[in-house]
Amino acid sequence: MSILVTGGCGYIGSHVVNQLLEAGKEVIVLDNLSTGSADSLLHGEKLIELDLAEVGKIQQVFKENKIESVMHFAASTEVAESVKNPLKYYSNNTINSLNLLQVCLEFQIRNFIFSSTAAVYGKQENGIAYESSITNPVNPYGWSKL
């Protein structure tokens, strides 16, 4: 059984991939390479270059592989860009995440880890956000991840 890591060629995703491989896990990396680099894959991991907007192709990945868990790190992450181009962020971070979740439900994936961001909490009075803090994003990036 494999762990599918979306955004596995990005900064956080590639580190997670390395840790999973060091723990002896079988990993499949799914990335559209829009900001990540295949050079970050150091151990010959299986890379599927794919955008999460392509639902049929995501379904094919699940049909062709025995996936037990998904770790979702694929996202657009630049706050300033999100203000200039909010639709890109809602499309990539919100709609594409829903696409992935729908396929996970279809294939009865029970283990799903979503990489969120403190941006969903906005500005906290004391400067510290907890998971129990009230969400109050202040930009499209934060809203798209919420």
Side-chain angles (χ1 to χ4, degrees):
M1 297 295 272
S2 300
I3 299 172
L4 179 70
V5 180
T6 67
C9 292
Y11 181 75
I12 295 172
S14 65
H15 286 283
V16 170
V17 167
N18 283 331
Q19 289 183 328
L20 289 169
L21 291 168
E22 287 174 7
K25 303 295 182 184
E26 185 176 323
V27 178
I28 299 169
V29 175
L30 192 151
D31 201 299
N32 68 7
L33 300 178
S34 63
T35 57
S37 171
D39 292 339
S40 66
L41 302 178
L42 305 174
H43 307 285
E45 301 86 322
K46 180 176 184 177
L47 170 62
I48 300 170
E49 189 174 344
L50 177 64
D51 193 284
L52 292 174
E54 302 176 85
V55 176
K57 290 183 180 180
I58 299 168
Q59 290 168 321
Q60 195 62 38
V61 169
F62 280 78
K63 286 177 188 171
E64 294 174 357
N65 298 278
K66 293 182 180 180
I67 297 170
E68 67 176 332
S69 302
V70 173
M71 300 179 82
H72 181 41
F73 298 99
S76 299
T77 61
E78 296 179 27
V79 171
E81 181 187 42
S82 80
V83 173
K84 291 179 185 174
N85 190 0
L87 291 180
K88 173 184 176 182
Y89 281 69
Y90 292 117
S91 177
N92 191 39
N93 296 353
T94 308
I95 294 171
N96 286 349
S97 292
L98 287 172
N99 290 341
L100 178 62
L101 284 167
Q102 287 174 333
V103 174
C104 287
L105 286 172
E106 179 183 338
F107 285 87
Q108 300 177 347
I109 302 300
R110 298 180 56 121
N111 304 305
F112 188 94
I113 295 174
F114 176 71
S115 178
S116 189
T117 174
V120 300
Y121 300 108
K123 296 181 181 182
Q124 299 293 306
E125 286 183 28
N126 61 1
I128 301 172
Y130 301 94
E131 285 190 51
S132 59
S133 297
I134 295 172
T135 54
N136 187 26
V138 296
N139 53 58
Y141 168 61
W143 279 108
S144 71
K145 292 294 280 187
L146 180 63

